[in-house]
Amino acid sequence: MITVIDLKIGNINSVSRALKYIGIEHILSSNPVDIDKAEKLIFPGVGSFAEAMKRMRNQGLDSALKQAVLSRKVPILGICLGMQLFASIGEEGGKTEGLDFIKARVAYHRASGLGFRLPHIGWNEVEHNDLEIFDSVPEKSCFYFVHSYEFIPEEQIETGHTNYGVDFVSFVKKNNIIGTQFHLEKSQGVGLKVLSNFCEDKF
Amino acid sequence: MLRNRVIPIVLLDGYSVVKTIQFDIRRNLGNPIVVSRIYESRNVDELILLDIDASRENRSIDLHTVEAVSCECFMPLTIGGGLKTCQDIENALKAGADKVSLNSIIFENPYFLKEAVSVFGSQCIVASIDIKKDNSGEYVLFSNSGKDIKFSLEECLSLLIDSKVGEVLLNNVDLDGMMTGYDLDLIKYVSSRVNTPVIAAGGASKPEDCVKAVKAGASAVAVASIFHFTSITPRICKEAMANAGIPTRI
C-alpha cells in the first residue's frame, strides 16, 4: 500500500485525486503507524519549511519517516516542499533542520538576485537525463512549478535541472529517495506519467 | 526557460458560468464543470475560477463545484470569490484549489494578506485587483461588491509588496468584456512596481493582444470572452506568442 503523507497544510488532495485517476490505491495519513506499515511513500507539500518540520516533530513523523526511509529503504517520492524537506537544512521561515535524507540546503532562489520575478510560477522545461522514472516522458518536457526556494545538493546524487535565471536542481534521486521540485499532480499527462512510473517501480 | 502562460478565466454567478461586460451586463454560458472539462482537454496552462457574486452575497464560492472541477482537471487551479478567512482558504485548498485569489478582503482587512501568506506561503496567495479610470483619467481601485475603497492604486501596490503575495491578478474594469485590447500602460506600471508575476486580465480581443500584454511586462495573460465567443483557442494565442519570440508551452 502507498501512504500519502498528510501534514494538513496545503493542497494534498490533488495528489490523491491524481492517484485515483490513474487507478492507484493509497491512503492519506499523518499517523506514524501508517508510515511504519507503508510499502511506498509519497510526500507532497506546499507551505513553509519551518512550519512543516514543526508539525512533523509534534506528531513524531520525522522519526517514523527516518526509520522507514533510511532503515527499511521504503521508496519515497517528495513533491515540491516534500522534496525540500529531504535536505539537511532549510532557510524558509528561519534556519530549520530538515530530515537530512540528502546532504543539501534549501535557500532562496538565486534568480531573485538576477532580476527574475519570484515565486517561479508556471511551466518550465526539465532536463531529466532520461532517468528511468521519466520513462516515456520526452527530455525537456514542461512541468508546472510554483516555488521561491531551491534545493542545493551538497553531495553527489542523480539530478535533473531547470533554468530560471540559473540552472537549478529540479529533480533528485538518491537510492530509494526521489524528489521533484515540480508538481506532478498538476502537470497533466507528463506529470501523471512520472507518478505512475513511481507507483510501478520504474525508478 | 519559464513559459508565459495563457489562462482562461471562468466567472461564476454562484452556479453558472457567466461573462460580464464592464463588470455589468451578463451572458450565461452554462455549467462550469463542462466548461472546465473543455479547457482540460485543450491542455491549458492553468485555470482561474472566480465567483463574482460571492462577496456581495456574503458567501464563498461553491466548493462542490471546485471539487468537481478539480477531480477532472490536472492543471493548476486558482479559486476566488468571498474567501475571507484562513478557514475559507483551507476549505478551498481541500476542495482542490492550488492558489486562492483574494479581492474584497484586501480592503476590508489589509492585515489579512500577511496572515494568509504566513500560513499558506506566498505561492498560494494571488491578490486580485480591479481598476478603472475616474473622470479625470486617474487609475482608481474598484470594488465589485460596491464598497468604498480608501486605498489609492499606489498604496494598494505597496500593501501587496509588503504582504509578499505570490501573484497579482490585474483587471481593468473599463475594458472587461469589451474585446478592445489590454490596458498596456497599466500592465507596464504595475509589473514594474511589483516583483512577483503579474497576470493581465480585461480586454483581450485577438491573439496579438496577448503578445502585447507580455511585452508590456505580464507573466501571464488571462482570457475569457474570446474563448467563450470566438473561434480563437488558447493554442492560437500561444502560437501567436511563440511567433513573436515569447516562450510558451504548446
Side-chain angles (χ1 to χ4, degrees):
Chain A
M1 180 67 91
I2 294 178
T3 300
V4 178
I5 302 160
D6 182 5
L7 293 181
K8 317 246 179 247
I9 23 176
N11 183 359
I12 163 114
N13 292 350
S14 290
V15 171
S16 181
R17 286 191 193 96
L19 289 171
K20 241 179 246 165
Y21 187 80
I22 56 176
I24 306 286
E25 266 191 71
H26 61 281
I27 55 165
L28 286 180
S29 175
S30 53
N31 186 340
V33 173
D34 292 317
I35 290 173
D36 291 341
K37 286 189 299 194
E39 289 157 14
K40 244 180 219 165
L41 292 160
I42 296 180
F43 196 3
V46 293
S48 100
F49 194 103
E51 176 70 23
M53 284 309 299
K54 193 173 89 191
R55 290 196 186 200
M56 273 200 282
R57 286 202 192 94
N58 288 345
Q59 298 172 46
L61 274 177
D62 54 338
S63 41
L65 270 176
K66 281 179 188 166
Q67 170 70 22
V69 173
L70 301 177
S71 305
R72 283 204 298 128
K73 304 282 178 205
V74 174
I76 185 167
L77 171 65
I79 300 173
C80 197
L81 180 66
M83 153 176 140
Q84 295 186 347
L85 294 169
F86 295 164
S88 327
I89 205 147
E91 294 175 8
E92 184 181 9
K95 274 205 176 167
T96 310
E97 274 180 39
L99 290 165
D100 200 25
F101 291 166
I102 297 175
K103 295 284 164 235
R105 62 194 179 89
V106 175
Y108 201 56
H109 203 294
R110 286 164 293 158
S112 71
L114 300 165
F116 284 75
R117 293 175 194 276
L118 284 180
H120 171 230
I121 301 184
W123 297 80
N124 205 337
E125 282 167 18
V126 176
E127 277 182 51
H128 56 60
N129 307 315
D130 289 321
L131 292 167
E132 196 181 350
I133 196 164
F134 291 95
D135 183 47
S136 308
V137 175
E139 181 68 301
K140 293 198 173 178
S141 289
C142 276
F143 288 84
Y144 189 79
F145 289 82
V146 47
H147 63 118
S148 301
Y149 286 76
E150 63 169 318
F151 190 96
I152 304 171
E154 289 170 340
E155 65 173 309
Q156 203 60 37
I157 50 166
E158 289 179 285
T159 53
H161 294 88
T162 295
N163 188 278
Y164 188 57
V166 291
D167 273 332
F168 69 94
V169 170
S170 55
F171 172 82
V172 292
K173 181 171 185 294
K174 178 185 171 186
N175 308 319
N176 54 323
I177 301 160
I178 295 169
T180 67
Q181 181 60 66
F182 38 93
H183 286 270
L184 297 171
E185 74 284 12
K186 289 288 159 179
S187 296
Q188 293 166 344
V190 287
L192 297 180
K193 185 67 203 158
V194 174
L195 208 49
S196 77
N197 285 346
F198 175 75
C199 298
E200 289 165 12
D201 291 325
K202 289 188 193 165
F203 53 83
Chain B
M1 194 184 284
L2 182 63
R3 308 301 203 262
N4 290 94
R5 291 162 285 160
V6 175
I7 308 176
I9 288 197
V10 177
L11 301 179
L12 305 175
D13 66 356
Y15 299 98
S16 294
V17 178
V18 291
K19 184 63 203 91
T20 52
I21 295 178
Q22 295 184 321
F23 278 32
D24 190 12
I25 305 161
R26 289 182 182 193
R27 194 187 287 184
N28 191 310
L29 296 158
N31 182 316
I33 298 155
V34 176
V35 170
S36 305
R37 196 178 287 155
I38 293 168
Y39 287 131
E40 166 69 17
S41 73
R42 291 190 160 159
N43 270 330
V44 299
D45 294 331
E46 204 170 312
L47 201 63
I48 298 177
L49 214 59
L50 301 177
D51 188 323
I52 53 176
D53 291 336
S55 278
R56 193 185 310 147
E57 294 171 2
N58 236 334
R59 54 177 180 78
S60 291
I61 183 166
D62 176 51
L63 295 179
H64 296 293
T65 305
V66 174
E67 194 152 3
V69 169
S70 74
C71 282
E72 298 186 40
C73 295
F74 298 105
M75 61 181 143
L77 204 55
T78 299
I79 299 298
L83 305 176
K84 302 207 161 162
T85 63
C86 283
Q87 188 62 52
D88 290 343
I89 296 176
E90 198 179 319
N91 293 344
L93 296 178
K94 275 203 185 118
D98 298 286
K99 299 188 270 187
V100 292
S101 166
L102 303 179
N103 175 263
S104 305
I105 187 68
I106 301 175
F107 308 108
E108 287 166 26
N109 176 6
Y111 301 105
F112 181 66
L113 280 179
K114 217 172 237 177
E115 187 189 338
V117 165
S118 76
V119 176
F120 302 99
S122 293
Q123 82 294 328
C124 183
I125 307 297
V126 181
S128 164
I129 52 172
D130 301 322
I131 293 161
K132 62 191 279 114
K133 278 188 176 166
D134 68 8
N135 294 335
S136 59
E138 291 289 310
Y139 286 122
V140 290
L141 295 160
F142 173 83
S143 160
N144 185 39
S145 46
K147 301 224 167 79
D148 202 22
I149 296 180
K150 294 189 172 65
F151 287 77
S152 67
L153 173 57
E154 191 48 46
E155 287 165 338
C156 171
L157 294 179
S158 299
L159 173 69
L160 304 190
I161 294 164
D162 288 348
S163 313
K164 296 196 167 66
V165 299
E167 266 181 314
V168 178
L169 173 59
L170 180 65
N171 201 5
N172 183 314
V173 178
D174 298 321
L175 300 180
D176 171 58
M178 299 298 281
M179 296 202 271
T180 52
Y182 291 100
D183 184 340
L184 301 178
D185 291 333
L186 182 64
I187 295 169
K188 248 179 228 160
Y189 174 64
V190 173
S191 62
S192 68
R193 281 282 287 118
V194 302
N195 233 338
T196 58
V198 171
I199 305 168
S205 70
K206 50 186 185 300
E208 290 68 30
D209 291 332
C210 301
V211 174
K212 287 181 191 162
V214 170
K215 294 207 161 159
S219 296
V221 287
V223 181
S225 296
I226 59 172
F227 295 159
H228 287 316
F229 302 130
T230 77
S231 59
I232 297 168
T233 62
R235 190 186 172 95
I236 293 172
C237 291
K238 287 202 261 186
E239 281 168 352
M241 289 159 69
N243 287 337
I246 295 168
T248 54
R249 166 181 164 268
I250 294 178

